[in-house]
């Protein structure tokens, strides 16, 4: 059927790629390519299996709500332990030591907060998207349009950052051209989501999480063995060979400014709680109890992974940094700083394990972009099409068709943007995504669940204030104003806007709610008690559809 | 649900107790986590030297230990929440649901 034809097409694409790459005379990594092909074949098999089980919109958006807490916990962990954190945080530790840990801790610390405040209430109130929760007692159209806008902004920016990162990484690891790498990621992403929906997306994420966790465990084990299972010996040798000496064991210049430190912390902690593809995962489990369990497992896996990264990052200071094999003629790390974890895999496990880790890094990107595409598509088909345009009158078939078309559209857009931004400096994008999620989605979601006084007018004003201030402040900050636009001095001195933009979002939502004296606002406040009872007890909550 | 049903749940003693206990658990754990994390952030911002001090005279620093402890504490807090909710709040909630279904 269609899937097998796509498979053929993909095969053709990769063969063409290999030929192209050979022409370019880049070293081809056959182990990596072989293992990656295996992963792709296996996940396409899963997509086929999932496609047969994806019949309704509930299946498509939430895998029928039938996943267990453990499965969902692994999938959430998979979303968080992306290629950016695996390669990026280990690279930061390699270069700056302790500062890399600050990033890891910020993301991790968000998870208990998500558990205590959001997970269960979200599951009890919503069905497919977080807009279901915000619009529970507010007016559908304005809230859904704003929420869909917030979702799409975050999902697309995140997608572009991932696509560009993926293209560069694959170019390096597999010797494939940037164009073909971006095309391959885009086609596979659309394939997983349109055919297999949330079920395929989740299983791809779970498999990748298991592969990445086991691969990193092996790497950390081999590093520790190298140092006789003594972390003290590892830190001592790292400090002995690093240019900063024992400075790598203490916070460096990264967060010397208190405002920047707090702003970054807020952005990471609450940004995670505002990422639409993460929030969507809470609807894939059957009950609030399973939602709760999934965060417990996710926090455990993410924390474990970051502990492994400390060993991997500091171990590579010695095992990669002092090995001339991994440096080019000028003495720089081959492929750039982000490649240290990949080089370390070669150092501890030879070329076969290098191939494995390269394939896992690619798989990681695929799994994350699939989740992003699905959350973007659901904002279009569920929030915009079914709830706003058709006012809830669309049939399941129509909604499914729109969601598949939307996925295709997002895939095409992601490929085009990925190609446009190839040579742009987009490092600021990943920081922006979390700051925007923390300012646009989180305040309104939080207030809708915890504050009786929130009205439609306040919610829309809060989202808009958060979005505009986050973007404006970021453009005026050193990352864009100086580094991208080449002005002399930044108009906004801090590198992360989250502290200010999130406060403005809360302020806007509050101000425009308390001054809202309309009849609609009175009704909306009156409906809070029903919402509160359902969010606390789960009475009336959507049950798992089947499975 | 009709407004009478809502009112009945709202005044139900089990519901009142559930809300009180759940909110106490939620907010005390949230405050604990915020204090741990932002305490750490402020330490990094104002007293980075404290974190750089060697532990037991070796190379391993106090900050490294603090980092590992924060990871473990985050996991422990989620564990406390799940355990307490499963053993105390869920039974209360189930009883409430049953009584209100009648």
């Amino acid at each position: 059927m269609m899937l097998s034809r796509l498979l053929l097409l993909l095969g053709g694409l990769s063969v063409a790629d290999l030929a192209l790459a050979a022409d370019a005379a880049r070293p081809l990594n056959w182990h990596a390519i072989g293992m990656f092909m295996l992963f792709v074949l296996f996940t396409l098999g899963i997509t086929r299996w999932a496609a047969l089980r994806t019949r309704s919109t509930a299946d498509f958006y939430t895998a029928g709500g039938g996943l267990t807490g453990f499965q969902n916990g692994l999938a959430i962990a998979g979303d968080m332990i992306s290629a950016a954190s695996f390669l990026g945080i280990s690279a930061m530790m390699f270069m700056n030591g302790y500062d890399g840990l600050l990033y890891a801790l910020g993301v991790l610390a968000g998870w208990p907060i998500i558990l205590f405040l959001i997970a269960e209430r979200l599951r009890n109130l919503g069905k497919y998207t977080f807009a279901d929760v915000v619009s529970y007692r507010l007016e559908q159209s304005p809230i859904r349009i704003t929420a869909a806008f917030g979702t799409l902004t975050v999902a697309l920016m995140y997608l572009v950052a991932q696509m560009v990162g993926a293209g560069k990484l694959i170019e390096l690891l597999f010797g494939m051209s940037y164009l073909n790498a971006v095309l391959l990621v885009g086609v596979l992403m659309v394939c997983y989501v349109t055919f297999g929906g949330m079920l395929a997306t989740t299983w791809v994420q779970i498999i990748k999480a298991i592969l990445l966790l086991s691969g990193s465990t092996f790497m950390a084990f081999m590093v520790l063995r190298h140092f006789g299972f003594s972390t003290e010996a590892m830190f001592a040798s790292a400090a002995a060979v690093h240019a900063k000496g024992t400075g790598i064991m203490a916070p460096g210049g990264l967060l010397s400014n208190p405002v920047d430190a707090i702003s970054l912390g807020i952005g990471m902690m609450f940004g995670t709680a505002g990422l639409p593809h993460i929030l969507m995962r809470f609807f894939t489990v059957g009950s609030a109890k399973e939602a709760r369990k999934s965060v417990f497992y996710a926090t455990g896996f993410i924390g474990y992974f970051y502990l492994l990264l400390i060993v991997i990052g500091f171990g590579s200071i010695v095992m990669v940094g002092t090995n001339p094999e991994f440096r080019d003629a000028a003495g720089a790390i081959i492929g750039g700083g982000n490649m240290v974890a990949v080089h370390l895999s070669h150092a501890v496990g030879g070329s076969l394990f290098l191939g494995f880790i390269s394939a896992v890094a690619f798989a990681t990107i695929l799994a994350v972009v699939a989740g992003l595409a699905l959350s973007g598509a659901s904002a279009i088909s569920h929030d915009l099409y079914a709830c706003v345009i058709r006012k809830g009158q669309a049939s399941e078939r129509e909604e499914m068709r729109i969601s598949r078309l939307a996925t295709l559209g997002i895939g095409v857009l992601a490929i085009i943007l990925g190609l446009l931004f190839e040579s742009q400096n987009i490092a600021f994008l990943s920081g922006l995504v979390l700051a925007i999620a923390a300012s646009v989605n989180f305040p309104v979601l939080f207030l809708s669940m915890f504050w009786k006084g929130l009205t439609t007018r306040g919610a829309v004003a809060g989202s808009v204030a958060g979005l505009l201030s986050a973007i404006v402040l970021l453009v005026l900050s050193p990352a864009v104003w100086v580094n991208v636009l080449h002005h002399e001095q930044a108009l906004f001195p801090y590198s992360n806007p989250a502290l200010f933009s999130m406060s403005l979002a809360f302020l806007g939502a509050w101000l425009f709610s308390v001054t809202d004296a309309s009849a609609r606002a009175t009704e909306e406040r009156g409906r809070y008690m029903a919402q509160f009872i359902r969010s606390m007890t789960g009475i009336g909550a959507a049950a798992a559809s089947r499975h | 649900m009709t407004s009478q049903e809502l009112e009945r749940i709202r005044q139900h003693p089990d519901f009142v107790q559930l809300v009180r206990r759940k909110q106490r658990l939620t907010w005390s754990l949230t405050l604990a986590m915020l204090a741990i994390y932002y305490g750490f952030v402020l330490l990094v911002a104002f007293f980075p030297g404290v974190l750089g001090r060697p532990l037991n005279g070796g190379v391993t620093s106090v900050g490294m230990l603090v980092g590992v402890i924060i990871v473990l504490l985050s996991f422990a807090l989620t564990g406390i929440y799940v355990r307490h909710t499963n053993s105390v709040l869920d039974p209360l909630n189930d009883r409430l649901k049953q009584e209100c279904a009648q």
Side-chain angles (χ1 to χ4, degrees), chain A residues 98 102 105-106 108 112 115-117 120 232 235 249-250 258 265-266 269 292 296 300 303 314 529 533 536-537 539, chain B residues 10 22 26 29-30 37-38 40 45-46 52 58-61 63-64 71 75 78-79 81 85-86 90 93 96-97:
Chain A
Y98 194 82
L102 298 180
L105 289 177
L108 181 71
L115 171 63
F116 307 149
L117 298 181
E120 292 177 46
E232 171 66 22
F235 289 135
M249 300 302 295
I266 284 186
M269 187 178 241
R292 183 192 310 151
F296 173 69
F314 281 83
M529 185 43 74
I533 288 175
M536 290 303 264
T537 62
I539 294 173
Chain B
R10 195 174 71 88
K22 199 166 188 167
T26 299
L29 286 176
T30 303
Y37 180 63
Y38 287 99
F40 173 74
F46 289 107
V59 175
T60 310
S61 63
M64 203 49 83
V71 172
F75 186 54
T78 59
Y81 178 86
T85 314
N86 281 347
D90 269 0
N93 198 358
L96 175 73
K97 273 191 201 170

Side-chain angles (χ1 to χ4, degrees), chain A residues 20-40:
Chain A
L20 260 175
D23 284 347
R26 282 202 200 86
L28 272 184
N29 185 337
W30 286 106
H31 289 307
I33 290 168
M35 272 184 255
F36 178 69
M37 291 292 271
L38 206 67
F39 175 84
V40 168

